[in-house]
Amino acid sequence: MTFNNGAGNSGSGVGGGLFPAYAMNNRDQENQMKLNEDQYDVYVNDDLVGQKSLKNQGENLSDIDGFLKQQGISDFTASLDGDHYKIMTDGSKAEIADALNVYFNNR
């Protein structure tokens, strides 16, 4: 029994059809997987200091603020611009960057 799917394929299983051969390529599955977490670039006064991934439902970007406040750092403001979390400060840039390096390396 043969069939014609309208794409010039008479049932041989090669070419044409709804799914071209490249759509079924599973060689590089790592690049085809969807990320299951949100990832944000974290900046201090426009300098990139690291990345924060929200892996669990209970995690928030404000966790960064809480960590900094636990370290005794409170003279900063933070805002979200797309996937950039921007921390602005007038005087504690190095102190904030150092604290965030510890934070990112321990997470």
Side-chain angles (χ1 to χ4, degrees), residues 15-36:
L18 294 177
F19 298 104
Y22 66 84
M24 303 305 259
N25 181 356
N26 290 328
R27 288 183 326 168
D28 194 8
Q29 287 181 342
E30 246 180 69
N31 290 333
Q32 295 175 9
M33 293 178 64
K34 177 183 178 286
L35 290 176
N36 291 328

Side-chain angles (χ1 to χ4, degrees), residues 51-64:
Q51 292 182 325
K52 170 70 174 165
S53 295
L54 303 180
K55 297 178 183 180
N56 301 316
Q57 194 171 21
E59 286 185 290
N60 297 302
L61 284 173
S62 62
D63 295 344
I64 295 172

Side-chain angles (χ1 to χ4, degrees), residues 33-99:
M33 293 178 64
K34 177 183 178 286
L35 290 176
N36 291 328
E37 60 191 47
D38 293 330
Q39 192 166 24
Y40 298 89
D41 294 330
V42 179
Y43 293 83
V44 176
N45 289 357
D46 298 320
D47 291 329
L48 180 65
V49 294
Q51 292 182 325
K52 170 70 174 165
S53 295
L54 303 180
K55 297 178 183 180
N56 301 316
Q57 194 171 21
E59 286 185 290
N60 297 302
L61 284 173
S62 62
D63 295 344
I64 295 172
D65 300 354
F67 174 80
L68 291 174
K69 289 177 182 176
Q70 286 178 341
Q71 303 305 308
I73 304 169
S74 59
D75 61 336
F76 67 91
T77 60
S79 63
L80 181 62
D81 182 15
D83 64 350
H84 294 176
Y85 193 64
K86 297 180 177 183
I87 298 172
M88 301 301 290
T89 183
D90 288 330
S92 305
K93 179 182 174 185
E95 186 179 4
I96 291 173
D98 290 343

